[in-house]
Amino acid sequence: MSVSDPPAIKRRPVYLNLVRIRLPLPGIVSILHRISGAALFLFAIPVVLFAMQASVESEDGFASLKSMLANPLCKLILIGLLWAYLHHFFAGIRYLLIDLHVGDDLAPARQSSVAVLGASLILTLIIAVRLW
Amino acid sequence: MTRPLRQTIGAHYGWKDWLVQRVTAVVMILYTLGMLGVALYNGGFDYALWQALFANGAFRIATLLFGLAVLWHAWIGMRDIWMDYIKPTALRLALEVATFVVLVAYAAWLAQILWGTRQT
């Protein structure tokens, strides 16, 4: 084989333009599972530990944590993390079920993706409204 | 008798992480549902209920188990993310080590919250 004639495998099109890739619904659930997981690691774990410490330490700590909840920015961050938890939770249950071959055909997998996206968004919205 | 060396490379350790990710997930689901149940039953958490919960030995152990499940789950998830996106080996190793160290510190923090001395 000459240098000017590379193997066919090298000439396969690389199509990795993130803006132009149209992910199917299960793909959207999957990448959001990863993004929400990373957000939970980066932000939710330290926030929960901090809140746990403050709330258990003293009644003042518990009260000051509650007053922090009144801050709109804190509320927004909390609602964001809540969505991350709910999405990760529901998508995770979906993966556990798919591991057990429940709903792993194309149509039910699509339907369950919609269910995961919808349930986490609607629950977040309901709790956000109640929090506000 | 020679003990076989632990396999650290190749396609042999992945199945264990796969299983751990699912077992820890089930632990977290159960704890979440339990806490949700406590919250719904009592109509939310006030300070008295919160104190009573943390004074309860079974709750502390359940919370420690949940915390360890979260941290182990986060370790596998974050390591997968670093392996997928960070190609330079030195940087990936640094991020993996940093993740691991932070997670162990979180575990110690949780133990301190659950069993440390506190003002009353």
Side-chain angles (χ1 to χ4, degrees):
Chain A
M1 193 189 297
S2 72
V3 182
S4 58
D5 182 29
I9 196 161
K10 290 248 160 104
R11 275 189 260 115
R12 283 194 304 204
V14 176
Y15 190 68
L16 287 173
N17 185 337
L18 285 179
V19 184
R20 291 181 65 193
I21 288 177
R22 230 188 111 261
L23 272 177
L25 281 166
I28 292 171
V29 169
S30 175
I31 191 63
L32 288 178
H33 192 68
R34 177 159 276 200
I35 291 168
S36 59
L40 290 169
F41 163 71
L42 287 173
F43 306 112
I45 296 177
V47 165
V48 166
L49 281 169
F50 168 80
M52 210 187 229
Q53 183 171 40
S55 63
V56 172
E57 229 161 35
S58 65
E59 193 154 15
D60 287 344
F62 192 89
S64 69
L65 211 65
K66 268 203 157 169
S67 63
M68 263 176 80
L69 255 175
N71 183 313
L73 185 68
C74 286
K75 272 186 198 173
L76 264 179
I77 293 169
L78 218 67
I79 289 164
L81 290 178
L82 180 73
W83 172 82
Y85 191 87
L86 288 172
H87 180 84
H88 208 83
F89 186 88
F90 289 129
I93 289 173
R94 177 173 174 270
Y95 290 133
L96 286 173
L97 291 174
I98 286 175
D99 283 342
L100 300 172
H101 298 293
V102 176
D104 59 353
D105 280 329
L106 189 57
R110 264 192 201 133
Q111 287 158 3
S112 61
S113 310
V114 176
V116 165
L117 291 167
S120 44
L121 277 176
I122 289 168
L123 261 177
T124 305
L125 213 71
I126 290 172
I127 298 173
V129 167
R130 290 197 58 179
L131 202 63
W132 230 285
Chain B
M1 193 184 111
T2 51
R3 223 151 48 91
L5 289 173
R6 193 169 167 202
Q7 194 89 31
T8 52
I9 53 156
H12 302 283
Y13 70 98
W15 74 270
K16 190 191 125 196
D17 288 345
W18 180 90
L19 189 63
V20 167
Q21 206 64 343
R22 277 139 188 91
V23 171
T24 52
V26 171
V27 171
M28 290 185 282
I29 291 168
L30 294 176
Y31 184 88
T32 302
L33 294 179
M35 284 299 272
L36 189 67
V38 172
L40 289 177
Y41 182 75
N42 294 284
F45 295 102
D46 61 3
Y47 185 65
L49 173 63
W50 203 234
Q51 279 296 82
L53 271 179
F54 278 85
N56 182 310
F59 173 81
R60 285 182 184 175
I61 289 170
T63 303
L64 181 71
L65 278 179
F66 168 75
L68 293 178
V70 168
L71 298 175
W72 201 352
H73 194 92
W75 161 245
I76 293 169
M78 286 310 295
R79 195 210 48 198
D80 284 354
I81 291 179
W82 300 139
M83 286 200 300
D84 279 353
Y85 302 124
I86 310 295
K87 297 304 171 192
T89 310
L91 180 60
R92 186 175 65 245
L93 184 65
L95 287 167
E96 285 176 4
V97 169
T99 303
F100 190 81
V101 168
V102 165
L103 289 173
V104 172
Y106 284 161
W109 190 5
L110 177 65
Q112 205 174 41
I113 293 169
L114 290 172
W115 279 283
T117 51
R118 69 180 65 117
Q119 314 151 9
T120 41

